[in-house]
């Protein structure tokens, strides 16, 4: 064997041993979680994940034996032992965030290793990371379907929609009020102030709409890529995907026999299996893909504009100081209403929330007014 071959063999041996140690650590950690888990359904999931890790360990042992190298009994590393102790002492939920983070970091570890790719290990590791994320995201005592449906997916609720609506209108109101008052501080004519306010309304609303369109469209493209990746994994490693379906439904409360029967039924049709994996594993509705980017952009535009119109209401019908006072009064009422609206999802009192929002909005307007006045005096000589 020449020097180049010896170097290659030594590098392979080192890589195989590193991979083997990682699988030993993973198996021991899952066993520790299973021992500490009070819910027998979740404990069984941990034990099955440990069994998969042990099978992966045997895979690397065989690779080492193929190089003529001996494999001795390996002990889990200190990090694994420490996490296991913490899990037994304080419960699995105490260490799950750390373990989930480690799994996410290592999820692509095997992607560039030809032997691992040929053995289907990358798909299994990604499956483990997603299942562990589902368990970590679930409430203590079990995994409801709504939790599993949020794996790697966006989950919109009524509370989030309300928050987005209130804050979108608030952005328009505070930003345009500050703009109008800043220009008013420079003592410009009313029609110039109206044009400034209208320009701020349109520019801000367009900016918000474009940002929302890009956000939703990027999310849709990401979902499409995730679905395509899932379809590829289903085609290349159907057994791994079937095992993932079994684990997911077992986590949701089905017995192992029921989960296997359901997985067999779903895997009989690849389109049905893909639809199930996309919905249950990725939390994506393939019929919606996060909603319409254009609808989101339109909603964002309207919400911003609704808030931004209040500071210029007086300027639409009046001129001079009365127009500013009407705009301030309308803006104050809207700020208080927005603050009261935030109390719906913050739990604070209506008066407190409304007054706080009024104070913040008028403080921002006051600062820009003073700056505008200073700049106007400076430019006026």
């Amino acid at each position: 064997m020449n020097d180049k071959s010896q170097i290659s063999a030594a590098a392979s041996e080192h890589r195989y041993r590193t991979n083997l140690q990682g699988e030993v650590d993973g198996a021991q950690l899952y066993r520790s979680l299973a021992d500490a888990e009070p819910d027998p359904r979740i404990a069984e999931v941990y034990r099955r994940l440990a069994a998969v890790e042990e099978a992966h360990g045997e895979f690397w042992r065989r690779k080492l034996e193929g190089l003529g190298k001996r494999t001795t009994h390996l002990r889990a590393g200190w990090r694994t032992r420490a996490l296991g102790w913490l899990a037994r002492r304080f419960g699995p939920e105490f260490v799950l965030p750390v373990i989930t983070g480690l799994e996410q970091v290592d999820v692509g570890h095997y992607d560039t290793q030809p032997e691992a790719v040929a053995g289907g290990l990358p798909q299994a590791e990604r499956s483990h990371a997603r299942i562990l994320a589902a368990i970590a995201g679930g409430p203590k005592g079990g995994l409801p379907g709504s939790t599993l449906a949020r794996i790697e997916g966006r989950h919109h609720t009524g509370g989030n929609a309300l928050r987005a609506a209130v804050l979108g209108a608030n952005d328009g109101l505070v930003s345009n009020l500050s703009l109008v008052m800043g220009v008013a501080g420079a003592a410009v004519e009313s029609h110039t102030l109206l044009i400034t306010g209208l320009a701020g309304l349109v520019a801000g609303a367009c900016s918000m709409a474009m940002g929302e369109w890009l956000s939703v469209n990027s999310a849709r493209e990401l979902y499409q890529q995730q679905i395509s990746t899932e379809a590829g994994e289903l085609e290349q490693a159907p057994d791994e995907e079937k095992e993932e379906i079994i684990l997911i439904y077992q986590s949701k409360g089905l017995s192992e026999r029921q989960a296997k029967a359901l997985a067999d039924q779903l895997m009989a049709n690849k389109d049905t299996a893909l639809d199930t994996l996309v919905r249950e594993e990725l939390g994506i509705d393939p019929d919606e893909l996060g909603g319409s980017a254009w609808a989101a952009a339109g909603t964002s535009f309207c919400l911003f504009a609704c808030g931004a119109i209040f500071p210029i209401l007086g300027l639409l019908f009046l001129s001079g100081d009365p127009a500013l006072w009407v705009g301030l009064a309308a803006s104050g009422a809207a700020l208080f209403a927005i603050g009261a609206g935030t109390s719906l999802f913050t739990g604070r009192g209506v008066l407190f929330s409304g007054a706080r929002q009024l104070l913040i909005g008028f403080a921002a307007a006051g600062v820009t007014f003073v700056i505008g006045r200073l700049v106007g005096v400076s430019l006026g000589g």
Side-chain angles (χ1 to χ4, degrees):
M1 182 180 294
N2 56 39
D3 292 343
K4 190 173 183 178
S5 298
Q6 289 179 335
I7 293 174
S8 178
S12 295
E13 179 187 356
H14 175 74
R15 180 163 55 86
Y16 294 165
R17 291 191 183 279
T18 300
N19 292 339
L20 174 58
Q21 182 64 59
E23 300 295 349
V24 168
D25 287 338
Q28 179 60 47
L29 188 54
Y30 286 132
R31 293 290 181 192
S32 297
L33 291 174
D35 293 340
E37 176 57 53
D39 189 324
R41 297 173 301 162
I42 307 302
E44 179 60 22
V45 172
Y46 286 137
R47 279 190 285 270
R48 296 188 66 176
L49 291 175
V52 174
E53 297 288 289
E54 289 166 353
H56 290 175
E58 289 303 314
F59 176 90
W60 295 115
R61 288 182 191 277
R62 290 194 297 271
K63 290 295 181 182
L64 284 167
E65 291 169 358
L67 294 176
K69 303 299 180 179
R70 296 178 55 188
T71 57
T72 58
H73 176 73
L74 295 179
R75 186 185 182 192
W78 69 268
R79 184 193 298 274
T80 299
R81 296 196 303 272
L83 289 171
W85 182 86
L86 290 171
R88 290 189 296 271
R89 179 66 178 81
F90 301 105
E93 66 277 2
F94 185 79
V95 297
L96 270 180
V98 175
I99 298 172
T100 302
L102 294 174
E103 285 282 359
Q104 292 296 333
V105 170
D106 293 338
V107 73
H109 176 67
Y110 285 143
D111 288 353
T112 58
Q113 299 188 41
E115 308 93 335
V117 172
L121 271 63
Q123 293 91 337
E125 292 300 322
R126 282 192 288 271
S127 170
H128 288 189
R130 289 191 290 258
I131 292 171
L132 199 62
I135 298 174
K140 188 175 181 181
L143 292 175
S146 60
T147 298
L148 287 167
R150 289 199 296 269
I151 307 175
E152 300 182 16
R154 296 171 66 181
H155 183 70
H156 296 288
T157 64
N160 286 336
L162 173 63
R163 184 181 294 109
V166 171
L167 297 182
N170 181 71
D171 286 343
L173 174 55
V174 175
S175 63
N176 214 32
L177 176 62
S178 298
L179 174 64
V180 169
M181 293 306 297
V183 177
V188 301
E189 296 182 359
S190 295
H191 74 278
T192 302
L193 200 56
L194 175 60
I195 292 172
T196 299
L198 289 172
L201 183 155
V202 174
C206 287
S207 175
M208 293 292 290
M210 181 178 294
E212 189 65 17
W213 185 90
L214 287 173
S215 175
V216 175
N217 198 57
S218 296
R220 288 177 63 87
E221 292 173 350
L222 173 61
Y223 296 159
Q224 289 169 344
Q225 179 61 39
Q226 289 178 323
I227 292 173
S228 177
T229 300
E230 194 67 38
E233 292 179 358
L234 184 61
E235 188 67 29
Q236 297 171 11
D239 291 338
E240 296 289 350
E241 294 301 304
K242 178 181 175 181
E243 180 67 13
E244 185 169 338
I245 292 175
I246 293 172
L247 290 174
I248 287 175
Y249 280 105
Q250 197 172 349
S251 296
K252 296 174 78 169
L254 296 183
S255 67
E256 181 178 352
R257 181 182 59 81
Q258 291 173 321
K260 284 184 176 180
L262 181 56
D264 288 336
Q265 190 174 17
L266 292 172
M267 291 297 291
N269 185 302
K270 290 297 178 64
D271 291 337
T272 302
L274 178 61
D275 185 81
T276 300
L277 286 166
V278 168
R279 293 176 185 274
E280 296 289 348
E281 176 189 324
L282 302 180
I284 298 172
D285 184 345
D287 297 326
E288 293 186 0
L289 294 180
S292 167
W294 289 108
T299 301
S300 183
F301 183 98
C302 292
L303 288 171
F304 188 96
C306 284
I309 194 67
F310 286 97
I312 61 174
L313 280 178
L315 294 166
L316 292 173
F317 309 104
L318 303 171
S319 61
D321 288 342
L324 284 179
W325 286 115
V326 169
L328 281 172
S331 297
L335 283 167
F336 188 90
I338 287 174
T342 63
S343 68
L344 294 175
F345 49 81
T346 63
R348 302 301 296 266
V350 173
L351 290 177
F352 173 83
S353 298
R356 179 178 61 181
Q357 192 66 27
L358 181 63
L359 178 62
I360 292 172
F362 275 177
V367 170
T368 57
F369 181 86
V370 171
I371 293 175
R373 177 56 57 87
L374 293 175
V375 172
V377 170
S378 176
L379 293 178

